[in-house]
Amino acid sequence: MKNPLISVVIPVYGVEKYIAEFIETVFSQDYQNVQFIFVNDGTKDKSIEILNATVESKYPHLKERIIIVNKQNGGLPAARKTGMEYVKGDYVCHMDPDDWIETGSFRKMADAIEKSEPDILYYYMVKEYPDRKSIKKDRDYAGDIQRYIKDMFNHRALGSLCNKCVKTSIYRNCDITFPKYNYAEDCYVTSQLAAAAESVTLMKEVVYHYRKSNSGSLSHQKRQGRKREYAMNFLELYEKYRDIPRENNPISCIFDDILLKAGWFSIAFRLNLFASYPYLAKDIRRARPSFSIEVPILAQLLVKAYALFR
């Protein structure tokens, strides 16, 4: 594929402090065949004003490649989904406007796509904390996509949408859905993308800088809410794929992980998921504990025991 068109979907909400830096890094790239889709998710600050002013003053030549979509606030997954309706590119990336990318990133993506046209191109990410930075380097999962899915779910690989450039036809032709809730929404989507992919290619380059705040000070109530959203998103994913025969179902490699983690979150954070999902106890009884799941083995066994009496 020569000179691929890359579409970038960018949800905008409450980022007036950061969006100018993001705009500079994406608009000043040397690769020209890029479409930018900004989804105004009902932001109440001056983010869109800053975007429009910057385009008018510094990048008027890009106007034909920039779309700004206005919608009522509906959360990050809904904004990404809306942006996908406007994608014209051969490949699509999702980026957040409080982050930034390296110089030459689109050119490197295009060169890698021209070489092998992978279904998913993924690359290194830098997590930018207030007082430090951490480079996240995924390993090469070519030929082992189920391991990729399992490692993303268990935080051994990056489940982020922002370090991936994906063939648009995967979204269009493979019933890729976005979840209801914000937390872990990216891994919910990337698990489906990887399950539908026939090829993945690692580009051993730092592309994306993710601005990471210090979450260690989260209140118990907020942490409880995040765990609930996480569990409910992935139980929805489980429900979507559970009736597909396992031999034709790459997502099945994380079924036990989803069930045991949801059960553990329900107990540890008092989420009452066993009442909300009547099938949960029965299906957990069949789930196999494993040291590869991101829940301590003793906690998994406790969940199994708890499910026996539900």
Side-chain angles (χ1 to χ4, degrees):
M1 182 183 295
K2 198 70 176 172
N3 199 35
L5 175 59
I6 299 171
S7 294
V8 186
V9 176
I10 308 143
V12 178
Y13 185 86
V15 290
E16 66 177 11
K17 183 178 178 181
Y18 306 110
I19 193 169
E21 179 181 9
F22 172 81
I23 292 168
E24 291 293 337
T25 67
V26 296
F27 285 173
S28 62
Q29 298 283 319
D30 60 348
Y31 186 74
Q32 298 298 307
N33 205 19
V34 183
Q35 175 197 24
F36 300 99
I37 304 162
F38 291 87
V39 181
N40 174 14
D41 191 30
T43 190
K44 297 176 182 179
D45 66 1
K46 296 181 179 180
S47 298
I48 299 300
E49 293 177 37
I50 293 169
L51 169 61
N52 283 323
T54 304
V55 172
E56 289 292 339
S57 63
K58 297 185 67 175
Y59 301 99
H61 60 287
L62 297 182
K63 282 185 179 181
E64 291 184 358
R65 297 197 276 124
I66 298 170
I67 297 173
I68 300 175
V69 182
N70 297 304
K71 65 182 289 295
Q72 290 185 340
N73 179 253
L76 186 55
R80 295 200 201 281
K81 181 179 179 181
T82 296
M84 287 300 303
E85 297 173 11
Y86 297 84
V87 167
K88 296 180 180 179
D90 304 295
Y91 282 76
V92 58
C93 304
H94 292 270
M95 296 182 182
D96 295 332
D98 51 349
D99 301 328
W100 68 95
I101 62 173
E102 289 278 327
T103 301
S105 291
F106 292 138
R107 172 67 62 186
K108 292 173 183 177
M109 291 179 198
D111 289 346
I113 289 167
E114 288 182 7
K115 287 180 182 178
S116 60
E117 296 185 32
D119 289 335
I120 299 175
L121 175 70
Y122 63 111
Y123 26 83
Y124 298 158
M125 172 189 286
V126 179
K127 289 190 176 183
E128 300 279 354
Y129 295 87
D131 57 348
R132 62 187 175 89
K133 63 178 61 181
S134 175
I135 300 177
K136 301 300 179 182
K137 297 181 179 182
D138 277 340
R139 70 179 181 87
D140 191 343
Y141 287 95
D144 197 1
I145 290 177
Q146 285 203 345
R147 172 54 60 182
Y148 191 26
I149 297 169
K150 195 170 182 70
D151 282 356
M152 284 193 293
F153 181 77
N154 288 292
H155 295 98
R156 297 186 185 94
L158 290 168
S160 174
L161 278 167
C162 295
N163 81 314
K164 296 169 182 67
C165 190
V166 180
K167 193 175 285 186
T168 304
S169 59
I170 298 291
Y171 282 96
R172 299 282 189 252
N173 302 332
C174 298
D175 188 31
I176 304 301
T177 55
F178 290 79
K180 296 177 183 177
Y181 306 105
N182 286 348
Y183 198 60
E185 52 84 26
D186 46 1
C187 190
Y188 175 102
V189 178
T190 56
S191 296
Q192 296 174 80
L193 294 170
E198 295 183 1
S199 60
V200 298
T201 294
L202 172 63
M203 186 171 74
K204 296 181 179 180
E205 300 274 359
V206 169
V207 168
Y208 200 84
H209 290 258
Y210 169 53
R211 198 183 301 272
K212 181 77 171 170
S213 62
N214 182 4
S215 60
S217 60
L218 285 178
S219 68
H220 174 76
Q221 186 176 11
K222 191 169 184 180
R223 194 180 301 275
Q224 184 184 47
R226 285 191 171 191
K227 298 299 184 184
R228 183 185 297 278
E229 287 191 358
Y230 186 105
M232 292 175 73
N233 273 344
F234 279 100
L235 287 172
E236 178 185 293
L237 189 69
Y238 172 72
E239 291 168 4
K240 177 181 176 181
Y241 286 92
R242 65 181 171 181
D243 294 329
I244 301 173
R246 286 196 174 228
E247 59 271 18
N248 302 318
N249 185 359
I251 292 289
S252 66
C253 69
I254 56 172
F255 278 178
D256 293 342
D257 310 46
I258 290 171
L259 293 166
L260 289 166
K261 187 178 284 190
W264 174 240
F265 284 176
S266 184
I267 294 169
F269 293 92
R270 299 181 181 180
L271 302 181
N272 203 26
L273 296 176
F274 287 93
S276 301
Y277 298 86
Y279 65 80
L280 186 56
K282 177 175 66 70
D283 289 6
I284 282 176
R285 291 177 209 137
R286 297 197 300 263
R288 294 166 294 181
S290 168
F291 286 101
S292 68
I293 300 174
E294 194 195 30
V295 174
I297 193 71
L298 289 177
Q300 295 178 53
L301 295 174
L302 174 62
V303 171
K304 292 276 289 182
Y306 183 87
L308 287 174
F309 297 96
R310 295 291 301 186

